[in-house]
Amino acid sequence: MRGGAAGGANLLALRSHNTALVLDLLRTAGAGGISRLELAERTGLTPQAVSKITARLREDGLAAEAGRRASTGGKPRTVLRLVPEAGHALGVHLDRDELRAVLVDLDGAVVGERRAALDLGAGAEAVVEGVARAARELVADTLGPSEGAVGALGGAPGPADGALGRSGGVPGRTGGAPVPSEGAPQSLGGTAGRSEGAPPSPDDDPHRPDGPPPPPDRAFTAVPGFLGLGVALPGPLDHVRGVLHRVTGFPEWNGFPLRDALARRLGVPVVVDKDTNAAALGLAVGGEGGSFAYLHLGTGLGAGLVIGGGVHRGARTGAGEFGHQVIQLDGPPCTCGARGCIEALCLGAVARGDLAEAARVLGAGAANLAGLLDIDLVLLGGRTVAAAPEAFVHGVGAVLDARARREGGQDGAVPVRLAPGGTRGVAEGAAQLLLAPLFGRGDA
């Protein structure tokens, strides 16, 4: 259990660029804190401006004294730190066969986690209700009703709150309870919600955004400074509008407004993105620098791209459909409708138990990506990789090594590493869809 902040403010109203700069420095300083003078030096703000910002943050319960530090002259300097428990966000990873949700504080530290079986093909109503139930139960199990005195924090605004600018948005963007056993995910229940083969039409959705937004669900008003819900799932999709396209293997989702449906159901801000983009954002916020590709191999295969420190989503937010580049003409059919896709070849090899071949195919795709974008690093993640990390890191690395030898030069091969975060990296990244903009790092 975590105590709530003494004071508070609606965190989503903190849109000031300067405030975001100060908050980010407080976050990265950790428990040791940082002085106002250092904040002024590192942000370029005047000491007076920093004093005003930090005074407001302290009043709102977002910053607190971390002690005093000796100075080169005069009295010791007071150092300030972020108050992690002053705010929380939920991150949900919707996979094709399961849901994983995490509740994180302002530091991005996981304070609660829930995992449950889920059929992404069960229909819109079943999936939306499954996400809503998991979110409510995770908050109740982690923080409990004793944390319900939000006071000046004001709870979570509805999805059309003025601080958001538009439904489901976040500032600066256009667009613990015991952890369940890994081997025994809980079930979210039935698969009712549509007849077999019937698409989840937005016109039939009872949660479509008509009329005024509902008040926040009571479960979330008990969470100090609750920012909202980030949802990450397989693409393709429209990140700006929160609308799904023909999700690979589940084309019936085409056109469904998942963001607005969840926002209507829960009464809180919601952001939707591809699973690979969310994971890449989490990695960038967590300290991975430069340009890198995060390759996610689980029930499908995709890529999250970070170019020059920022997540690259493309003009239509569709970048990263890595698994559907064709590398074998007239190859085996893929669930996307094409033939010879890397995803089909890679998952086919996994199904046969030929992990060496799966890694070789994945490596061929990674080499194409490295040659096209000249990235600094390849990070591997996803359930399939997590089950045999050495085989995939070694196999993909071998292909990139061979490519580097063919090309020559002195820089060597693009390094390949296992992505930190394990199997909950996507869910943690989904929470960063809400957290990162608060610190001025919406695209890291």
Side-chain angles (χ1 to χ4, degrees), residues 34-41 47 50-51 54-55 58 78-80:
I34 185 171
S35 71
R36 293 178 181 84
L37 180 59
E38 290 173 296
L39 287 170
E41 290 173 346
V50 168
S51 291
T54 55
R58 291 183 66 183
T78 299
V79 292
L80 302 173

Side-chain angles (χ1 to χ4, degrees), residues 328 345-346 348-350 352-364 392:
Q328 182 180 329
L345 294 168
C346 197
V350 171
R352 298 192 303 272
D354 191 349
L355 295 185
E357 175 64 9
R360 188 178 73 88
V361 172
L362 185 58
F392 282 99

Side-chain angles (χ1 to χ4, degrees), residues 380-394:
L380 305 180
R383 272 191 279 164
T384 303
V385 170
E390 292 185 6
F392 282 99
V393 172
H394 174 76

Side-chain angles (χ1 to χ4, degrees), residues 29 36 49 60 148 160 203 209 303 415 444:
R36 293 178 181 84
D60 292 339
D203 294 329

Side-chain angles (χ1 to χ4, degrees), residues 123 133 318 351:
R133 185 186 311 124

Side-chain angles (χ1 to χ4, degrees), residues 44 49 52 54 105 134 253 304 307 310 328 385 389 420 434:
K52 288 182 180 179
T54 55
D105 63 18
W253 281 100
I307 308 297
Q328 182 180 329
V385 170
L434 277 300

